[in-house]
Amino acid sequence: MPARAYWQGQIKLALVAIPVEVYPATKSGAAISFRQIHEPTGKPIQYEKVVSGVGPVDRDEIFKGYELSKGNYVLLEQDEIESVKIESRKTLDLVQFVEADAIDVLYYEKPYFVIPADDLAEEAYAVLRDALRRTKKVGLGQLSVRGREQLVSIKPCGRGLVLEVLRYADEVVKAQTYFRGLPADTADEDMLDLAVGIIDKRTAPFSPEEFRDRYVEALHRLIDKKKKAKGKRIIEDVDDQSTARKGGNIIDLMAALKQSAGEGRRKAPAAKKAAAPKKAAPRRKSA
């Protein structure tokens, strides 16, 4: 468990206050980051603050500006920005409860584990967890942390609780913006039945460990080879499947669905039966 919690305080349910600690539930360990390097010297590239037509500027001459129109800014000093930051509070009030499936997936941003702060908090913590599970509800509130307010949800997860930071309404693009132009006609019933059958065949419990980021794995292999090659140029072999896709713009959807569902292979056993197996040629004896 990380030594430092993202937030420490209490979850408040009416008059009941539950001391908790909140820790990140995700990490970015899979990503690979690169620095820009000056090849002749091997030194990293540095960045300067510059103004067009002026050149490099001092840090104390830099203000934050909000663009009102093209090239027209309102300038704000750091202490002016600090004055409107929300004071961090140590209480998360659960002010509303909604159905567990009422929050669109687009609103979820980042999950955190919530654990009781001490042994005395465990009983009240368990009551909240089990009450949410029994009612199939999600608790909502606003968490004040690091100068801003975040909309969050609380819901059961195994033996514990998970807090999820949610996006505000003005941060989410309406789906109709992109989906409005799509046809409203329902799918062909026969094709739909085939597609449902394929989905049923491939349905299994979710096992995230079965999926890997192959690009990151390839980068690790490339870096290891480059290290062993002592700077020599290395190009990884890539299985290019683009040639297999050429000419595939026109697709017989029904035939593809039938083949995927196994209907296209019903005649295969008969063909195999008709073809007599070839006998292997006798091996010559060596002199």
Side-chain angles (χ1 to χ4, degrees), residues 256-268:
L257 286 168
K258 285 182 177 179
Q259 185 174 358
S260 300
E263 292 189 21
R265 293 191 291 270
R266 285 180 177 174
K267 296 181 181 180

Side-chain angles (χ1 to χ4, degrees), residues 63 102 114 120 150 191 228 251:
F63 283 61
V114 181
L120 295 176
Q150 297 174 324
M191 292 186 183
K228 293 177 180 177
I251 300 173

